[in-house]
Amino acid sequence: MSSHHHPAGSPGTLLALLQGADQATAIIEPRSGDATSYGQLREAIEHIARQLVAEGVEPGDAVAIVGPNDPAFLVSFLAVVALGASAAPLNPTYTEAEFRSYLQDLQAKRVLVRDGAGEHARAASGALGIGVLGLVGDRATEAALDGVDPAAERTDGDPDSVALLLHTSGTTSKPKGVPLRQRNLHASARSVAAGYRLTSEDVSHCVMPLFHVHGLVASVLATFATGGTVLVPPRFSASVFWDDAAAHGMTWFSAVPTIHQILVRDGAERPADVPLRFARSCSSALAPTTWRACEDAYGVPVTEAYGMTEASHQMTTNPLPPEERRPGSVGVATGIEVGVVDERWMQLGAGTSGEVVVRGPSVVDGYRANPQANAEAFRDGWFRTGDLGALSEEGYLTLHGRIKELINRGGEKISPHEIEDALLSHPAVAEAVAFPEPDPKYGERVGVAAVLVGEGSTEDLVAHCAERLAAFKVPARIVLVDTIPKGPTGKVQRRRLADQLSP
């Protein structure tokens, strides 16, 4: 079946997002300069989909994908989805035991692995008797298709089919399986594209891993939805970031605060030949001091957004000018509804803090085979985010931390973000993470891990906090570290820090 039968995919599907003209550039691998046009991308998806059919992959099957960020990863993902099967991208750095656990949980039919890589994934697949296929070579279009029936039918998927199987980052419990349907991802990508007024002229720089919704939905699918171009380096590297950006005309990029901090800390301002329109920060809290430093260094608006896997990534964002960006806030709802409720499930008015709840087309229907988690997290059509926050009169959402991560010192609930903001206003502090530590008298007390870039002692930092925070919020212990331990998706796991940094 040739691709011209389905120029745009069925409405609401992921292939319907591929909006670029055949000759337009879809993907550039900046290190090699290799470019893949939308026409080549569609052809490559067709090829790999036929290979998968020949391997017995059927609609509804789970196919794991293990590989670095590159065009082949994206082709494989879209080919799996084109069949109405479910792609399950896994972090290539997992151990064999982790791969085994995830592959068993997914009941994966096949595993796609980059040739010559992924020995842990291969070993785990072998132990479970799951067939391994090589990801296509460096150029997406060079798929070997000997003996594959070219008439293999495919459906382009169905908007209701599960396109992406991910696991929550497990900051508070065992990771839960999140089935994202094609319609969920389609809605989220369109909403990101609309919110930042993306066009076919835009060039996005994907520095986040593609096994995570941040990179896949915001940097890539939102770009495809407007026929733009995405730069896909194998990994983020501060030393070549601006060179790649200048060489290929990057107009925007999205990253976690840690990456923004690295770019700003290196003291490199945006080169004049990078046509940057804006930068986006998401996946953990962006301190107002970091936000200001980024705007100064980049010379463009920096917008903080708020996303979750369960909502196919973006839920709110600070808008671009002429609308207001509010530092410390994650902005206004995008494509979904946001509410704030109290313990009795009553909606709270502006300025009152409670649990943030969301509903809308990008939000999943429920977790995979987990009735208990569904009963806890979904209610009356709303998804409970587990985050504490408040809405302003104008609809800007400010987050106060995870409900389970609040530090409870003798009944006083302390938001870790507040402590971190106070510390980050000290010139010597590059990164700071507050976490609860056990305390015999108060139950919990404030602990902090901090990374310094200048002169400073823990005594200085405590004194600095004492000038800015009520006495009960001042850290009882500050540990100076070279780097802050993070989970696989770059998120800090506060509850684990107390164990990792125990005295």
Side-chain angles (χ1 to χ4, degrees):
M1 186 177 76
S2 66
S3 53
H4 60 252
H5 290 169
H6 282 273
S10 320
T13 64
L14 282 199
L15 289 199
L17 286 176
L18 296 182
Q19 288 298 311
D22 274 354
Q23 66 284 4
T25 303
I27 307 167
I28 296 173
E29 206 294 311
R31 306 297 146 80
S32 63
D34 282 348
T36 304
S37 70
Y38 276 91
Q40 289 173 316
L41 178 59
R42 292 183 181 103
E43 212 173 287
I45 291 166
E46 190 81 27
H47 279 330
I48 304 308
R50 291 192 340 236
Q51 262 186 314
L52 291 168
V53 167
E55 281 283 332
V57 174
E58 294 175 0
D61 284 343
V63 178
I65 304 176
V66 183
N69 278 20
D70 66 2
F73 184 105
L74 292 172
V75 169
S76 303
F77 164 67
L78 291 166
V80 169
V81 171
L83 295 173
S86 308
L90 295 173
N91 184 337
T93 66
Y94 282 153
T95 62
E96 186 184 332
E98 285 171 314
F99 275 121
R100 201 180 296 196
S101 157
Y102 281 115
L103 291 171
Q104 270 178 316
D105 185 57
L106 292 163
Q107 296 176 309
K109 178 81 166 263
R110 289 285 181 273
V111 183
L112 295 175
V113 183
R114 156 68 77 228
D115 288 336
E119 56 275 21
H120 291 320
R122 289 172 189 276
S125 306
L128 296 168
I130 301 170
V132 174
L133 297 174
L135 279 181
V136 248
D138 292 324
R139 286 303 297 275
T141 48
E142 291 168 14
L145 285 170
D146 304 336
V148 176
D149 172 15
E153 274 297 322
R154 65 159 222 258
T155 61
D156 272 349
D158 152 12
D160 273 331
S161 65
V162 173
L164 189 58
L165 283 169
L166 293 174
H167 287 83
T168 58
S169 27
T171 45
T172 51
S173 57
K174 181 180 181 293
K176 298 184 276 281
V178 186
L180 298 165
R181 298 180 189 278
Q182 294 206 30
R183 59 178 161 79
N184 298 143
L185 293 162
H186 184 102
S188 184
R190 284 222 179 279
S191 144
V192 171
Y196 302 120
R197 305 193 278 278
L198 301 182
T199 72
S200 58
E201 301 297 301
D202 276 303
V203 178
S204 146
H205 198 147
C206 179
V207 294
M208 298 298 297
L210 291 171
F211 56 79
H212 193 221
V213 281
H214 185 160
L216 193 57
V217 176
S219 300
V220 176
L221 294 180
T223 299
F224 287 167
T226 50
T229 303
V230 59
L231 305 180
V232 186
R235 71 192 64 79
F236 168 70
S237 163
S239 59
V240 294
F241 177 81
W242 291 116
D243 294 342
D244 288 347
H248 302 289
M250 170 183 87
T251 62
W252 73 284
F253 74 104
S254 184
V256 284
T258 310
I259 286 178
H260 288 295
Q261 284 168 331
I262 291 167
L263 287 171
V264 173
R265 195 187 306 165
D266 284 358
E269 296 200 350
R270 167 176 66 101
D273 55 351
V274 176
L276 194 63
R277 276 204 303 127
F278 70 97
R280 175 180 185 269
S281 182
C282 195
S283 297
S284 58
L286 181 71
T289 42
T290 308
W291 173 78
R292 278 187 276 276
C294 288
E295 289 221 334
D296 289 346
Y298 304 157
V300 295
V302 174
T303 68
E304 183 178 8
Y306 169 43
M308 288 188 102
T309 306
E310 291 90 341
S312 314
H313 190 45
Q314 185 173 290
M315 304 183 291
T316 69
T317 187
N318 274 281
L320 290 171
E323 291 160 84
E324 186 193 356
R325 301 186 299 296
R326 292 196 182 173
S329 142
V330 290
V332 294
T334 56
I336 60 166
E337 281 179 83
V338 175
V340 175
V341 297
D342 65 13
E343 287 96 350
R344 296 164 308 167
W345 199 247
M346 303 294 285
Q347 289 275 350
L348 295 168
T352 312
S353 191
E355 182 171 11
V356 179
V357 293
V358 295
R359 66 178 175 194
S362 62
V363 181
V364 296
D365 306 333
Y367 292 112
R368 188 161 159 265
N370 197 332
Q372 186 193 338
N374 287 339
E376 290 166 9
F378 293 87
R379 182 167 172 185
D380 304 336
W382 293 90
F383 169 65
R384 307 176 65 162
T385 63
D387 286 322
L388 200 64
L391 285 163
S392 73
E393 291 286 356
E394 303 79 23
Y396 282 75
L397 177 65
T398 301
L399 297 176
H400 303 138
R402 299 287 295 158
I403 289 172
K404 290 179 179 164
E405 288 182 347
L406 290 179
I407 302 161
N408 185 347
R409 185 185 180 274
E412 293 280 7
K413 306 284 198 312
I414 305 165
S415 162
H417 297 315
E418 202 181 346
I419 318 294
E420 290 156 11
D421 288 348
L423 277 160
L424 287 164
S425 67
H426 188 289
V429 177
E431 280 187 85
V433 176
F435 54 87
E437 287 199 318
D439 181 83
K441 184 175 180 188
Y442 295 105
E444 287 182 344
R445 63 179 194 170
V446 179
V448 170
V451 177
L452 298 188
V453 282
E455 288 300 308
S457 67
T458 52
E459 291 76 23
D460 293 340
L461 299 184
V462 169
H464 181 80
C465 289
E467 287 169 18
R468 287 161 179 77
L469 298 168
F472 71 90
K473 296 179 186 174
V474 174
R477 184 170 77 103
I478 297 180
V479 187
L480 300 179
V481 293
D482 293 332
T483 52
I484 301 219
K486 296 186 177 73
T489 57
K491 284 193 181 159
V492 170
Q493 300 181 322
R494 287 177 214 279
R495 288 264 161 204
R496 292 189 185 165
L497 275 179
D499 301 336
Q500 287 168 318
L501 302 173
S502 57

